[in-house]
Amino acid sequence: MADSQAPLLVWFRQDLRLADNPALHAAAVTGRPVLPLYILDDGAPGRWAMGGASRWWLHYSLQALADSLARLGAPLVLRKGDPSAILPQMVAESGADIVHWNRCYEPFAIARDEAIKTALKADGLTVRSFNSALLHEPWTVENKAGDPFRVYSPFWRACLAKGEPDTPLPAPEALIPAPGVAGDALSDWALLPHTPDWAAGMRESWVPGEEGARQRLAGFLDESVGRYKAQRDRPDIEATSRLSPHLHFGEIGPRQVWHATSHAMNESGTGPSAQKFLSEVGWREFSHHLLFHNRQLPETPLRAEFGDFPWHDDRPALKAWQRGLTGFPIVDAGMRELWHTGWMHNRVRMIVASFLVKDLLIPWQEGEAWFWDTLVDADLANNSASWQWVAGCGADAAPYFRVFNPVLQGQKFDPNGDYVRKWIPALAELPVDYIHNPWTASEGELRQAGVTLGETYPKPIVDHDVARKRALDAFERIKKAA
Ligand code: FAD
């Protein structure tokens, strides 16, 4: 029989919060001592090990979680290594006989968790897993034929038809600590960059942790949700929630976002705009659905014909794109925003991604990998589904032949050029007529704005019209071969 005073181990992963945390909540209500644990697994999962920006975020998020848990009475224990080895060790050291966690959906996490669950159960432990990260888990949403969805709109309709997601759970008010088990010091994990410390812009831009997430959502619902629908495509205006890293690390969950938004909608009559916001949260759900049902999503195009796409191996062009030196201001502004803050506006993500895969013919996986390393919200489901969407090779993708013109996109979505001026100070004095295409300005106009193309700002690395034709020709080749 289980010893009712034996500790219960809660394994934190992408659920770094106390509120609406079902694994923690279910542990607290047992009245047993609780041992909260986070494991840093640097060895796995190979190519998709956490990138630099994510590690920066993780440091502060764990610090915030550790502070909150300490206030409740149960200190967070940190351990580094392979969870399949660490968990049995922790069980042996603490005497725990129950283990809880909230589910993750990356293919490697699913395989790892299944194996760990089987091994712990074989050792006589009780293992319970919960849903903290999604409104509806991937296997609970299916079409009339009982198959997974491949198109977003019917997927989201099916989610909405399921009715309100569960009401978020409260944070525990107190926890009974488990007898002391030694852990690592967070600073020993060296998650923060040094020599060089490239994170100054991130420190200015973000407050990782549950309280930062709560404030971000509250601020968005107070100030921006009513204009979200009209302005969400404008990178020069702060009209989106910027919740993505908080959602990725589970500092806030989608049920909390849903219910707080519905509440604000009823109070303030921001209906259609708030619905639009929730439907974007729906894209997050859809990406997880796609990844769960298509485990090859991060590496392999869902449309098989794209396996033979004649991509270019153009290292100098890739480097120019990564550093924001393509000579196309909206592209460069986005890449510099990413480098500085670890985040980029969604419209600009679409523009820079289209530029990489269509104007430069560089494989989408290269862009995906760069985003993985540099985004604070790097998320395997959202990142791979979005790259496949832009590259035209995903399930419900934008067609490949729709090639964004970076100048027209800039003029439409950054009409005064404020976003470009913010991220490319060298162009700040250019009149609005040339801000998205400086090469069309006269010598005199450039001189007056202090711009020397090729010196203070690059000349365009491609001619968009020529590049567009080249991309369409490449696409024709795979269409013919298919
Ligand atoms: P809001 O507009 O306020 O939306 C609210 C939430 O909904 C977001 O926080 C996010 O969790 C979710 N969401 C919104 N749009 C999308 C979308 N298109 N797909 C999936 N979820 C969405 N998002 C990530 O979280 N991680 C990534 O690694 C990522 N990589 C991307 C790569 C490319 C090439 C593109 C085009 C998009 C990518 N996105 C990614 C999706 C999207 O750009 C971001 O989620 C969004 O910009 C985050 O800003 P926000 O929180 O202000 O979004």
Side-chain angles (χ1 to χ4, degrees):
M1 213 179 92
D3 168 3
S4 65
Q5 277 320 300
L8 192 157
L9 198 157
V10 179
W11 179 21
F12 282 87
R13 298 110 64 85
Q14 287 173 40
D15 51 351
L16 305 182
R17 66 177 184 269
L18 303 187
D20 199 32
N21 185 324
L24 181 66
H25 185 268
V29 297
T30 62
R32 287 173 174 235
V34 172
L35 175 57
L37 170 70
Y38 183 88
I39 304 172
L40 179 68
D41 184 6
D42 266 344
R47 184 170 173 218
W48 302 116
M50 223 177 268
S54 300
R55 289 168 76 84
W56 174 85
W57 189 285
L58 178 67
H59 176 96
Y60 291 107
S61 193
L62 285 176
Q63 201 167 55
L65 179 69
D67 289 348
S68 307
L69 284 165
R71 277 195 293 276
L72 291 193
L76 178 66
V77 175
L78 303 176
R79 286 282 175 100
K80 193 170 179 176
D82 177 354
S84 61
I86 301 271
L87 280 164
Q89 260 174 34
M90 293 296 294
V91 163
E93 285 177 35
S94 66
D97 61 357
I98 304 180
V99 178
H100 283 188
W101 65 68
N102 293 307
R103 288 186 280 276
C104 295
Y105 305 91
E106 294 87 353
F108 53 81
I110 292 172
R112 174 197 67 196
D113 293 352
E114 276 172 4
I116 290 176
K117 198 177 229 180
T118 306
L120 291 177
K121 281 184 168 175
D123 285 345
L125 275 90
T126 301
V127 182
R128 296 194 196 107
S129 65
F130 303 82
N131 169 23
S132 71
L134 293 173
L135 297 173
H136 304 288
E137 292 185 289
W139 53 89
T140 66
V141 190
E142 51 186 30
N143 67 17
K144 288 199 178 97
D147 295 326
F149 284 96
R150 290 178 69 86
V151 177
Y152 166 77
S153 300
F155 166 82
W156 188 233
R157 277 197 299 275
C159 291
L160 294 177
K162 285 173 159 290
E164 288 273 292
D166 291 344
T167 309
L169 297 162
E173 283 175 10
L175 295 170
I176 301 169
V181 176
D184 300 344
L186 182 57
S187 53
D188 288 348
W189 283 1
L191 295 170
L192 300 178
H194 52 88
T195 49
D197 169 12
W198 39 254
M202 296 189 195
R203 287 193 290 273
E204 282 160 23
S205 312
W206 303 101
V207 182
E210 186 169 12
E211 180 54 21
R214 200 192 57 73
Q215 284 181 12
R216 183 70 82 173
L217 176 61
F220 172 71
L221 293 177
D222 273 355
E223 289 158 29
S224 315
V225 69
R227 50 194 175 83
Y228 179 83
K229 189 165 187 233
Q231 296 182 338
R232 58 179 286 272
D233 269 322
R234 292 278 301 268
D236 56 332
I237 298 173
E238 199 167 317
T240 69
S241 71
R242 299 186 187 222
L243 279 171
S244 49
H246 299 290
L247 278 164
H248 169 75
F249 284 94
E251 298 166 352
I252 195 165
R255 289 185 290 255
Q256 295 167 290
V257 172
W258 176 284
H259 284 280
T261 306
S262 299
H263 182 72
M265 197 153 69
N266 295 337
E267 297 270 294
S268 63
T270 52
S273 192
Q275 299 283 9
K276 181 70 190 160
F277 170 64
L278 290 178
S279 77
E280 293 302 315
V281 177
W283 273 99
R284 175 176 179 275
E285 298 276 316
F286 183 55
S287 301
H288 283 75
H289 185 83
L290 283 180
L291 177 60
F292 180 80
H293 292 291
N294 302 277
R295 294 177 175 213
Q296 78 284 18
L297 189 74
E299 287 90 18
T300 312
L302 289 187
R303 287 170 198 257
E305 66 271 26
F306 274 84
D308 295 323
F309 195 87
W311 300 112
H312 284 198
D313 178 14
D314 186 344
R315 295 285 122 182
L318 176 61
K319 206 158 206 178
W321 178 82
Q322 290 171 336
R323 296 185 170 185
L325 294 172
T326 68
F328 288 88
I330 191 77
V331 173
D332 295 340
M335 298 309 290
R336 294 179 194 197
E337 177 180 34
L338 173 61
W339 185 251
H340 190 76
T341 69
W343 184 88
M344 193 197 301
H345 187 277
N346 180 59
R347 167 58 52 177
V348 190
R349 290 187 204 205
M350 292 196 284
I351 299 169
V352 304
S354 173
F355 188 81
L356 185 80
V357 296
K358 297 180 185 178
D359 287 69
L360 302 181
L361 281 184
I362 291 177
W364 57 270
Q365 293 94 333
E366 293 281 5
E368 183 194 25
W370 182 252
F371 271 30
W372 184 256
D373 194 32
T374 53
L375 276 173
V376 285
D377 65 22
D379 179 277
L380 199 66
N382 289 354
N383 199 34
S384 49
S386 300
W387 274 97
Q388 291 228 20
W389 187 88
V390 175
C393 55
D396 181 13
Y400 185 87
F401 58 77
R402 207 175 286 155
V403 180
F404 276 173
N405 178 320
V407 175
L408 298 181
Q409 288 284 315
Q411 289 167 343
K412 184 166 178 191
F413 295 110
D414 180 28
N416 307 315
D418 294 341
Y419 177 74
V420 164
R421 290 196 181 87
K422 175 170 180 189
W423 293 110
I424 312 179
L427 299 181
E429 300 300 322
L430 263 186
V432 68
D433 286 354
Y434 308 114
I435 192 77
H436 292 292
N437 47 0
W439 60 90
T440 63
S442 68
E443 287 277 316
E445 282 156 337
L446 287 173
R447 201 175 323 111
Q448 214 171 359
V451 177
T452 311
L453 288 180
E455 284 180 28
T456 59
Y457 182 69
K459 294 178 181 163
I461 59 170
V462 286
D463 175 327
H464 173 70
D465 291 336
V466 175
R468 177 174 179 278
K469 188 167 176 323
R470 188 177 69 160
L472 295 179
D473 288 348
F475 182 55
E476 279 304 314
R477 274 165 52 198
I478 61 162
K479 255 178 43 190
K480 278 195 197 115

